[in-house]
Amino acid sequence: ALLETMALVRGPDRQRLIQALEALSIDSRLRSRLFTHDAPGRIASAEALSAFPSRATVAALESVWRRSRDPALRLAAIRSLIELGEAPTLRDVLGELESTGVDSLTFLPVLRRLALDRPAAAIEEIANPERSPAVRAMLADALGATGDYAVLP
């Protein structure tokens, strides 16, 4: 519900809302929930933290995406890091994709966003013969979605 409410508020009002929520320690509570609640609660916390840019939030999300055993939670942390402008490298995300048993299509929006932000890295990775055919196909889709003609050979 927090993200839906935040989506309705723009500009200076949004910043005031974030400051008010931080004054109530909501961001701190969300960070602690990343490690203490059930899986759906941890995932919801990771997603909600995208509204609270701070070093502590980035550190907590990075810790979750690198250490959690829950692939869905790691993916939520990656998405929030991207929203906060602290995206992991495309290579790291592809490593995550190839190492998990998660449905790879859940990674497609993340790959599209990373390819849009870093097309050169995506082009480099699609040419990497060590990448699986499935990952290379997803990268091709992500690059195609950028609409950047520079990615065409």
Side-chain angles (χ1 to χ4, degrees):
L2 177 63
L3 287 179
E4 288 85 6
T5 302
M6 298 288 291
L8 297 173
V9 183
R10 299 273 184 239
D13 291 335
R14 180 181 173 93
Q15 191 57 38
R16 283 195 296 273
L17 176 58
I18 290 170
Q19 289 171 344
L21 292 170
E22 288 173 339
L24 295 171
S25 299
I26 298 297
D27 56 330
S28 178
R29 290 181 199 167
L30 290 171
R31 285 192 298 271
S32 69
R33 283 185 55 160
L34 287 173
F35 306 100
T36 59
H37 279 67
D38 60 353
R42 290 192 309 265
I43 292 168
S45 294
E47 291 171 347
L49 280 168
S50 68
F52 297 97
S54 72
R55 290 188 189 277
T57 294
V58 169
L61 289 168
E62 284 180 346
S63 175
V64 165
W65 103 261
R66 293 189 184 278
R67 295 187 183 120
S68 175
R69 286 182 256 149
D70 181 348
L73 178 57
R74 288 195 309 266
L75 184 60
I78 291 169
R79 283 194 302 260
S80 287
L81 286 166
I82 291 170
E83 290 301 317
L84 291 169
E86 298 287 340
T89 67
L90 181 60
R91 179 166 287 169
D92 287 345
V93 172
L94 292 175
E96 173 75 12
L97 172 60
E98 291 181 322
S99 71
T100 63
V102 172
D103 175 15
S104 60
L105 291 180
T106 60
F107 274 85
L108 195 52
V110 169
L111 294 180
R112 286 180 177 163
R113 176 70 184 272
L114 290 173
L116 183 63
D117 293 345
R118 304 171 187 161
I123 292 168
E124 180 181 324
E125 289 297 332
I126 202 170
N128 183 345
E130 294 177 11
R131 294 290 174 212
S132 69
V135 166
R136 293 170 80 185
M138 290 177 66
L139 278 171
D141 179 86
L143 283 166
T146 67
D148 185 353
Y149 289 105
V151 302
L152 296 174

mmCIF file of all heavy atoms in Angstrom, residues 102-145:
data_model
loop_
_atom_site.group_PDB
_atom_site.id
_atom_site.type_symbol
_atom_site.label_atom_id
_atom_site.label_comp_id
_atom_site.label_asym_id
_atom_site.label_seq_id
_atom_site.Cartn_x
_atom_site.Cartn_y
_atom_site.Cartn_z
ATOM 1 N N VAL A 102 14.872 -19.628 -10.511
ATOM 2 C CA VAL A 102 13.705 -18.771 -10.659
ATOM 3 C C VAL A 102 13.304 -18.700 -12.127
ATOM 4 O O VAL A 102 14.151 -18.744 -13.017
ATOM 5 C CB VAL A 102 14.031 -17.351 -10.128
ATOM 6 C CG1 VAL A 102 12.926 -16.371 -10.433
ATOM 7 C CG2 VAL A 102 14.292 -17.405 -8.646
ATOM 8 N N ASP A 103 12.019 -18.574 -12.370
ATOM 9 C CA ASP A 103 11.529 -18.389 -13.731
ATOM 10 C C ASP A 103 12.255 -17.198 -14.349
ATOM 11 O O ASP A 103 12.150 -16.081 -13.862
ATOM 12 C CB ASP A 103 10.026 -18.143 -13.700
ATOM 13 C CG ASP A 103 9.437 -17.812 -15.052
ATOM 14 O OD1 ASP A 103 10.112 -18.033 -16.076
ATOM 15 O OD2 ASP A 103 8.307 -17.315 -15.084
ATOM 16 N N SER A 104 12.984 -17.453 -15.402
ATOM 17 C CA SER A 104 13.834 -16.412 -15.976
ATOM 18 C C SER A 104 13.036 -15.225 -16.502
ATOM 19 O O SER A 104 13.572 -14.127 -16.601
ATOM 20 C CB SER A 104 14.708 -16.996 -17.085
ATOM 21 O OG SER A 104 13.899 -17.529 -18.110
ATOM 22 N N LEU A 105 11.772 -15.429 -16.822
ATOM 23 C CA LEU A 105 10.988 -14.310 -17.343
ATOM 24 C C LEU A 105 10.752 -13.237 -16.289
ATOM 25 O O LEU A 105 10.487 -12.092 -16.626
ATOM 26 C CB LEU A 105 9.653 -14.808 -17.906
ATOM 27 C CG LEU A 105 9.776 -15.645 -19.177
ATOM 28 C CD1 LEU A 105 8.401 -16.100 -19.651
ATOM 29 C CD2 LEU A 105 10.493 -14.881 -20.273
ATOM 30 N N THR A 106 10.883 -13.579 -15.012
ATOM 31 C CA THR A 106 10.748 -12.548 -13.982
ATOM 32 C C THR A 106 11.922 -11.577 -14.026
ATOM 33 O O THR A 106 11.825 -10.477 -13.508
ATOM 34 C CB THR A 106 10.640 -13.169 -12.572
ATOM 35 O OG1 THR A 106 11.803 -13.922 -12.297
ATOM 36 C CG2 THR A 106 9.407 -14.046 -12.440
ATOM 37 N N PHE A 107 13.015 -11.996 -14.645
ATOM 38 C CA PHE A 107 14.187 -11.130 -14.770
ATOM 39 C C PHE A 107 14.088 -10.199 -15.983
ATOM 40 O O PHE A 107 14.849 -9.249 -16.075
ATOM 41 C CB PHE A 107 15.461 -11.975 -14.907
ATOM 42 C CG PHE A 107 16.061 -12.389 -13.614
ATOM 43 C CD1 PHE A 107 15.616 -13.529 -12.971
ATOM 44 C CD2 PHE A 107 17.070 -11.646 -13.016
ATOM 45 C CE1 PHE A 107 16.165 -13.923 -11.772
ATOM 46 C CE2 PHE A 107 17.622 -12.033 -11.816
ATOM 47 C CZ PHE A 107 17.175 -13.176 -11.184
ATOM 48 N N LEU A 108 13.193 -10.477 -16.900
ATOM 49 C CA LEU A 108 13.151 -9.709 -18.143
ATOM 50 C C LEU A 108 12.962 -8.210 -17.928
ATOM 51 O O LEU A 108 13.695 -7.415 -18.522
ATOM 52 C CB LEU A 108 12.093 -10.270 -19.089
ATOM 53 C CG LEU A 108 12.179 -9.815 -20.529
ATOM 54 C CD1 LEU A 108 13.573 -10.008 -21.113
ATOM 55 C CD2 LEU A 108 11.153 -10.549 -21.368
ATOM 56 N N PRO A 109 12.041 -7.753 -17.078
ATOM 57 C CA PRO A 109 11.937 -6.297 -16.865
ATOM 58 C C PRO A 109 13.220 -5.695 -16.290
ATOM 59 O O PRO A 109 13.584 -4.565 -16.638
ATOM 60 C CB PRO A 109 10.772 -6.158 -15.877
ATOM 61 C CG PRO A 109 9.989 -7.422 -16.008
ATOM 62 C CD PRO A 109 10.974 -8.485 -16.376
ATOM 63 N N VAL A 110 13.898 -6.435 -15.442
ATOM 64 C CA VAL A 110 15.171 -5.953 -14.876
ATOM 65 C C VAL A 110 16.214 -5.844 -15.983
ATOM 66 O O VAL A 110 16.928 -4.840 -16.073
ATOM 67 C CB VAL A 110 15.651 -6.897 -13.745
ATOM 68 C CG1 VAL A 110 17.074 -6.580 -13.330
ATOM 69 C CG2 VAL A 110 14.705 -6.817 -12.566
ATOM 70 N N LEU A 111 16.301 -6.857 -16.830
ATOM 71 C CA LEU A 111 17.276 -6.821 -17.925
ATOM 72 C C LEU A 111 16.964 -5.693 -18.901
ATOM 73 O O LEU A 111 17.879 -5.031 -19.400
ATOM 74 C CB LEU A 111 17.322 -8.163 -18.650
ATOM 75 C CG LEU A 111 17.848 -9.336 -17.841
ATOM 76 C CD1 LEU A 111 17.829 -10.608 -18.687
ATOM 77 C CD2 LEU A 111 19.246 -9.065 -17.313
ATOM 78 N N ARG A 112 15.685 -5.459 -19.155
ATOM 79 C CA ARG A 112 15.309 -4.356 -20.046
ATOM 80 C C ARG A 112 15.752 -3.015 -19.468
ATOM 81 O O ARG A 112 16.264 -2.166 -20.196
ATOM 82 C CB ARG A 112 13.810 -4.364 -20.301
ATOM 83 C CG ARG A 112 13.380 -5.457 -21.241
ATOM 84 C CD ARG A 112 11.905 -5.443 -21.478
ATOM 85 N NE ARG A 112 11.528 -6.464 -22.432
ATOM 86 C CZ ARG A 112 10.301 -6.902 -22.604
ATOM 87 N NH1 ARG A 112 9.310 -6.388 -21.890
ATOM 88 N NH2 ARG A 112 10.049 -7.841 -23.496
ATOM 89 N N ARG A 113 15.542 -2.840 -18.195
ATOM 90 C CA ARG A 113 15.939 -1.578 -17.561
ATOM 91 C C ARG A 113 17.455 -1.405 -17.588
ATOM 92 O O ARG A 113 17.971 -0.329 -17.889
ATOM 93 C CB ARG A 113 15.414 -1.550 -16.131
ATOM 94 C CG ARG A 113 15.824 -0.355 -15.326
ATOM 95 C CD ARG A 113 15.144 0.927 -15.814
ATOM 96 N NE ARG A 113 15.624 2.073 -15.098
ATOM 97 C CZ ARG A 113 15.116 2.527 -13.966
ATOM 98 N NH1 ARG A 113 14.068 1.945 -13.424
ATOM 99 N NH2 ARG A 113 15.632 3.573 -13.385
ATOM 100 N N LEU A 114 18.192 -2.471 -17.276
ATOM 101 C CA LEU A 114 19.656 -2.385 -17.289
ATOM 102 C C LEU A 114 20.185 -2.165 -18.704
ATOM 103 O O LEU A 114 21.143 -1.421 -18.893
ATOM 104 C CB LEU A 114 20.263 -3.647 -16.669
ATOM 105 C CG LEU A 114 20.060 -3.797 -15.164
ATOM 106 C CD1 LEU A 114 20.552 -5.156 -14.700
ATOM 107 C CD2 LEU A 114 20.741 -2.681 -14.401
ATOM 108 N N ALA A 115 19.572 -2.808 -19.692
ATOM 109 C CA ALA A 115 20.004 -2.621 -21.082
ATOM 110 C C ALA A 115 19.729 -1.199 -21.545
ATOM 111 O O ALA A 115 20.522 -0.620 -22.297
ATOM 112 C CB ALA A 115 19.307 -3.625 -22.003
ATOM 113 N N LEU A 116 18.628 -0.624 -21.089
ATOM 114 C CA LEU A 116 18.313 0.758 -21.444
ATOM 115 C C LEU A 116 19.343 1.713 -20.847
ATOM 116 O O LEU A 116 19.795 2.651 -21.505
ATOM 117 C CB LEU A 116 16.909 1.119 -20.939
ATOM 118 C CG LEU A 116 16.394 2.501 -21.277
ATOM 119 C CD1 LEU A 116 16.270 2.677 -22.787
ATOM 120 C CD2 LEU A 116 15.049 2.727 -20.602
ATOM 121 N N ASP A 117 19.743 1.431 -19.600
ATOM 122 C CA ASP A 117 20.716 2.285 -18.916
ATOM 123 C C ASP A 117 22.146 2.031 -19.378
ATOM 124 O O ASP A 117 22.974 2.943 -19.351
ATOM 125 C CB ASP A 117 20.641 2.074 -17.398
ATOM 126 C CG ASP A 117 19.335 2.563 -16.803
ATOM 127 O OD1 ASP A 117 18.608 3.321 -17.479
ATOM 128 O OD2 ASP A 117 19.024 2.164 -15.664
ATOM 129 N N ARG A 118 22.436 0.796 -19.753
ATOM 130 C CA ARG A 118 23.816 0.402 -20.101
ATOM 131 C C ARG A 118 23.841 -0.483 -21.344
ATOM 132 O O ARG A 118 24.177 -1.671 -21.267
ATOM 133 C CB ARG A 118 24.446 -0.355 -18.942
ATOM 134 C CG ARG A 118 24.446 0.413 -17.650
ATOM 135 C CD ARG A 118 24.886 -0.469 -16.516
ATOM 136 N NE ARG A 118 24.719 0.230 -15.252
ATOM 137 C CZ ARG A 118 24.666 -0.381 -14.096
ATOM 138 N NH1 ARG A 118 24.804 -1.672 -14.025
ATOM 139 N NH2 ARG A 118 24.508 0.311 -13.000
ATOM 140 N N PRO A 119 23.499 0.068 -22.508
ATOM 141 C CA PRO A 119 23.448 -0.770 -23.712
ATOM 142 C C PRO A 119 24.795 -1.379 -24.082
ATOM 143 O O PRO A 119 24.852 -2.508 -24.571
ATOM 144 C CB PRO A 119 22.926 0.165 -24.799
ATOM 145 C CG PRO A 119 23.109 1.539 -24.265
ATOM 146 C CD PRO A 119 23.095 1.449 -22.776
ATOM 147 N N ALA A 120 25.880 -0.673 -23.843
ATOM 148 C CA ALA A 120 27.203 -1.218 -24.192
ATOM 149 C C ALA A 120 27.503 -2.478 -23.388
ATOM 150 O O ALA A 120 28.048 -3.454 -23.930
ATOM 151 C CB ALA A 120 28.287 -0.169 -23.963
ATOM 152 N N ALA A 121 27.137 -2.488 -22.123
ATOM 153 C CA ALA A 121 27.359 -3.679 -21.290
ATOM 154 C C ALA A 121 26.498 -4.832 -21.774
ATOM 155 O O ALA A 121 26.941 -5.987 -21.793
ATOM 156 C CB ALA A 121 27.060 -3.367 -19.828
ATOM 157 N N ALA A 122 25.273 -4.534 -22.192
ATOM 158 C CA ALA A 122 24.388 -5.582 -22.697
ATOM 159 C C ALA A 122 24.919 -6.167 -24.008
ATOM 160 O O ALA A 122 24.882 -7.376 -24.219
ATOM 161 C CB ALA A 122 22.978 -5.041 -22.882
ATOM 162 N N ILE A 123 25.450 -5.301 -24.874
ATOM 163 C CA ILE A 123 26.030 -5.779 -26.135
ATOM 164 C C ILE A 123 27.239 -6.663 -25.848
ATOM 165 O O ILE A 123 27.419 -7.721 -26.463
ATOM 166 C CB ILE A 123 26.408 -4.588 -27.044
ATOM 167 C CG1 ILE A 123 25.137 -3.883 -27.515
ATOM 168 C CG2 ILE A 123 27.264 -5.033 -28.211
ATOM 169 C CD1 ILE A 123 25.379 -2.545 -28.174
ATOM 170 N N GLU A 124 28.053 -6.257 -24.900
ATOM 171 C CA GLU A 124 29.219 -7.052 -24.522
ATOM 172 C C GLU A 124 28.799 -8.426 -23.991
ATOM 173 O O GLU A 124 29.394 -9.450 -24.348
ATOM 174 C CB GLU A 124 30.025 -6.301 -23.462
ATOM 175 C CG GLU A 124 31.264 -7.028 -22.994
ATOM 176 C CD GLU A 124 31.998 -6.247 -21.921
ATOM 177 O OE1 GLU A 124 32.019 -4.995 -21.985
ATOM 178 O OE2 GLU A 124 32.552 -6.885 -21.014
ATOM 179 N N GLU A 125 27.768 -8.453 -23.167
ATOM 180 C CA GLU A 125 27.328 -9.719 -22.573
ATOM 181 C C GLU A 125 26.642 -10.632 -23.579
ATOM 182 O O GLU A 125 26.772 -11.847 -23.501
ATOM 183 C CB GLU A 125 26.406 -9.472 -21.381
ATOM 184 C CG GLU A 125 27.123 -8.915 -20.178
ATOM 185 C CD GLU A 125 28.176 -9.853 -19.608
ATOM 186 O OE1 GLU A 125 28.053 -11.086 -19.740
ATOM 187 O OE2 GLU A 125 29.139 -9.337 -19.020
ATOM 188 N N ILE A 126 25.918 -10.060 -24.545
ATOM 189 C CA ILE A 126 25.245 -10.910 -25.528
ATOM 190 C C ILE A 126 26.268 -11.608 -26.431
ATOM 191 O O ILE A 126 26.028 -12.686 -26.942
ATOM 192 C CB ILE A 126 24.205 -10.121 -26.352
ATOM 193 C CG1 ILE A 126 23.181 -11.082 -26.958
ATOM 194 C CG2 ILE A 126 24.860 -9.282 -27.430
ATOM 195 C CD1 ILE A 126 21.990 -10.382 -27.575
ATOM 196 N N ALA A 127 27.434 -10.986 -26.581
ATOM 197 C CA ALA A 127 28.495 -11.586 -27.391
ATOM 198 C C ALA A 127 29.335 -12.579 -26.596
ATOM 199 O O ALA A 127 30.174 -13.270 -27.166
ATOM 200 C CB ALA A 127 29.387 -10.484 -27.956
ATOM 201 N N ASN A 128 29.106 -12.664 -25.300
ATOM 202 C CA ASN A 128 29.881 -13.554 -24.435
ATOM 203 C C ASN A 128 29.462 -15.006 -24.675
ATOM 204 O O ASN A 128 28.334 -15.391 -24.368
ATOM 205 C CB ASN A 128 29.641 -13.165 -22.968
ATOM 206 C CG ASN A 128 30.457 -13.981 -21.995
ATOM 207 O OD1 ASN A 128 31.012 -15.015 -22.342
ATOM 208 N ND2 ASN A 128 30.502 -13.521 -20.762
ATOM 209 N N PRO A 129 30.361 -15.831 -25.219
ATOM 210 C CA PRO A 129 29.996 -17.216 -25.527
ATOM 211 C C PRO A 129 29.731 -18.063 -24.277
ATOM 212 O O PRO A 129 29.146 -19.144 -24.381
ATOM 213 C CB PRO A 129 31.207 -17.745 -26.302
ATOM 214 C CG PRO A 129 32.337 -16.863 -25.905
ATOM 215 C CD PRO A 129 31.741 -15.528 -25.578
ATOM 216 N N GLU A 130 30.115 -17.573 -23.114
ATOM 217 C CA GLU A 130 29.869 -18.325 -21.881
ATOM 218 C C GLU A 130 28.425 -18.181 -21.398
ATOM 219 O O GLU A 130 27.988 -18.949 -20.544
ATOM 220 C CB GLU A 130 30.830 -17.866 -20.786
ATOM 221 C CG GLU A 130 32.273 -18.188 -21.087
ATOM 222 C CD GLU A 130 33.225 -17.673 -20.026
ATOM 223 O OE1 GLU A 130 32.750 -17.246 -18.942
ATOM 224 O OE2 GLU A 130 34.428 -17.696 -20.274
ATOM 225 N N ARG A 131 27.695 -17.215 -21.940
ATOM 226 C CA ARG A 131 26.298 -17.038 -21.558
ATOM 227 C C ARG A 131 25.436 -18.106 -22.222
ATOM 228 O O ARG A 131 25.667 -18.464 -23.371
ATOM 229 C CB ARG A 131 25.783 -15.653 -21.951
ATOM 230 C CG ARG A 131 26.444 -14.532 -21.202
ATOM 231 C CD ARG A 131 26.016 -14.517 -19.761
ATOM 232 N NE ARG A 131 26.771 -13.510 -19.015
ATOM 233 C CZ ARG A 131 27.080 -13.633 -17.751
ATOM 234 N NH1 ARG A 131 26.707 -14.682 -17.058
ATOM 235 N NH2 ARG A 131 27.762 -12.692 -17.144
ATOM 236 N N SER A 132 24.454 -18.567 -21.504
ATOM 237 C CA SER A 132 23.561 -19.594 -22.038
ATOM 238 C C SER A 132 22.724 -19.009 -23.179
ATOM 239 O O SER A 132 22.495 -17.793 -23.233
ATOM 240 C CB SER A 132 22.643 -20.117 -20.941
ATOM 241 O OG SER A 132 21.710 -19.119 -20.565
ATOM 242 N N PRO A 133 22.258 -19.862 -24.075
ATOM 243 C CA PRO A 133 21.398 -19.362 -25.158
ATOM 244 C C PRO A 133 20.144 -18.647 -24.636
ATOM 245 O O PRO A 133 19.722 -17.653 -25.214
ATOM 246 C CB PRO A 133 21.033 -20.630 -25.935
ATOM 247 C CG PRO A 133 22.150 -21.577 -25.657
ATOM 248 C CD PRO A 133 22.591 -21.275 -24.256
ATOM 249 N N ALA A 134 19.583 -19.142 -23.544
ATOM 250 C CA ALA A 134 18.379 -18.502 -22.988
ATOM 251 C C ALA A 134 18.687 -17.081 -22.505
ATOM 252 O O ALA A 134 17.910 -16.154 -22.757
ATOM 253 C CB ALA A 134 17.821 -19.342 -21.847
ATOM 254 N N VAL A 135 19.807 -16.912 -21.836
ATOM 255 C CA VAL A 135 20.181 -15.578 -21.351
ATOM 256 C C VAL A 135 20.495 -14.660 -22.524
ATOM 257 O O VAL A 135 20.110 -13.484 -22.525
ATOM 258 C CB VAL A 135 21.361 -15.667 -20.364
ATOM 259 C CG1 VAL A 135 21.978 -14.310 -20.109
ATOM 260 C CG2 VAL A 135 20.894 -16.288 -19.052
ATOM 261 N N ARG A 136 21.151 -15.187 -23.525
ATOM 262 C CA ARG A 136 21.458 -14.362 -24.695
ATOM 263 C C ARG A 136 20.182 -13.935 -25.416
ATOM 264 O O ARG A 136 20.076 -12.804 -25.896
ATOM 265 C CB ARG A 136 22.417 -15.107 -25.611
ATOM 266 C CG ARG A 136 23.790 -15.268 -24.936
ATOM 267 C CD ARG A 136 24.706 -16.180 -25.680
ATOM 268 N NE ARG A 136 25.303 -15.447 -26.785
ATOM 269 C CZ ARG A 136 26.094 -16.009 -27.682
ATOM 270 N NH1 ARG A 136 26.375 -17.296 -27.601
ATOM 271 N NH2 ARG A 136 26.614 -15.302 -28.644
ATOM 272 N N ALA A 137 19.184 -14.824 -25.461
ATOM 273 C CA ALA A 137 17.903 -14.466 -26.075
ATOM 274 C C ALA A 137 17.205 -13.376 -25.266
ATOM 275 O O ALA A 137 16.630 -12.436 -25.833
ATOM 276 C CB ALA A 137 17.011 -15.696 -26.183
ATOM 277 N N MET A 138 17.274 -13.481 -23.936
ATOM 278 C CA MET A 138 16.672 -12.448 -23.097
ATOM 279 C C MET A 138 17.388 -11.113 -23.273
ATOM 280 O O MET A 138 16.753 -10.056 -23.289
ATOM 281 C CB MET A 138 16.686 -12.886 -21.637
ATOM 282 C CG MET A 138 15.721 -14.023 -21.352
ATOM 283 S SD MET A 138 15.802 -14.600 -19.661
ATOM 284 C CE MET A 138 15.208 -13.169 -18.794
ATOM 285 N N LEU A 139 18.697 -11.161 -23.415
ATOM 286 C CA LEU A 139 19.451 -9.925 -23.653
ATOM 287 C C LEU A 139 19.080 -9.316 -24.998
ATOM 288 O O LEU A 139 18.975 -8.097 -25.122
ATOM 289 C CB LEU A 139 20.953 -10.199 -23.596
ATOM 290 C CG LEU A 139 21.562 -10.252 -22.212
ATOM 291 C CD1 LEU A 139 23.005 -10.756 -22.297
ATOM 292 C CD2 LEU A 139 21.508 -8.903 -21.541
ATOM 293 N N ALA A 140 18.882 -10.161 -26.003
ATOM 294 C CA ALA A 140 18.471 -9.655 -27.315
ATOM 295 C C ALA A 140 17.123 -8.954 -27.203
ATOM 296 O O ALA A 140 16.924 -7.874 -27.770
ATOM 297 C CB ALA A 140 18.414 -10.792 -28.327
ATOM 298 N N ASP A 141 16.205 -9.563 -26.460
ATOM 299 C CA ASP A 141 14.903 -8.939 -26.242
ATOM 300 C C ASP A 141 15.063 -7.611 -25.508
ATOM 301 O O ASP A 141 14.438 -6.611 -25.868
ATOM 302 C CB ASP A 141 14.002 -9.879 -25.441
ATOM 303 C CG ASP A 141 12.646 -9.263 -25.182
ATOM 304 O OD1 ASP A 141 11.766 -9.390 -26.059
ATOM 305 O OD2 ASP A 141 12.481 -8.631 -24.110
ATOM 306 N N ALA A 142 15.889 -7.609 -24.471
ATOM 307 C CA ALA A 142 16.103 -6.387 -23.689
ATOM 308 C C ALA A 142 16.706 -5.283 -24.550
ATOM 309 O O ALA A 142 16.299 -4.126 -24.465
ATOM 310 C CB ALA A 142 16.994 -6.688 -22.491
ATOM 311 N N LEU A 143 17.676 -5.642 -25.367
ATOM 312 C CA LEU A 143 18.290 -4.643 -26.250
ATOM 313 C C LEU A 143 17.294 -4.138 -27.281
ATOM 314 O O LEU A 143 17.274 -2.943 -27.601
ATOM 315 C CB LEU A 143 19.529 -5.229 -26.929
ATOM 316 C CG LEU A 143 20.760 -5.305 -26.041
ATOM 317 C CD1 LEU A 143 21.825 -6.207 -26.672
ATOM 318 C CD2 LEU A 143 21.320 -3.926 -25.765
ATOM 319 N N GLY A 144 16.474 -5.033 -27.809
ATOM 320 C CA GLY A 144 15.458 -4.622 -28.776
ATOM 321 C C GLY A 144 14.460 -3.648 -28.166
ATOM 322 O O GLY A 144 13.987 -2.730 -28.821
ATOM 323 N N ALA A 145 14.147 -3.854 -26.893
ATOM 324 C CA ALA A 145 13.190 -2.983 -26.218
ATOM 325 C C ALA A 145 13.732 -1.582 -25.971
ATOM 326 O O ALA A 145 12.969 -0.656 -25.707
ATOM 327 C CB ALA A 145 12.763 -3.622 -24.888
#
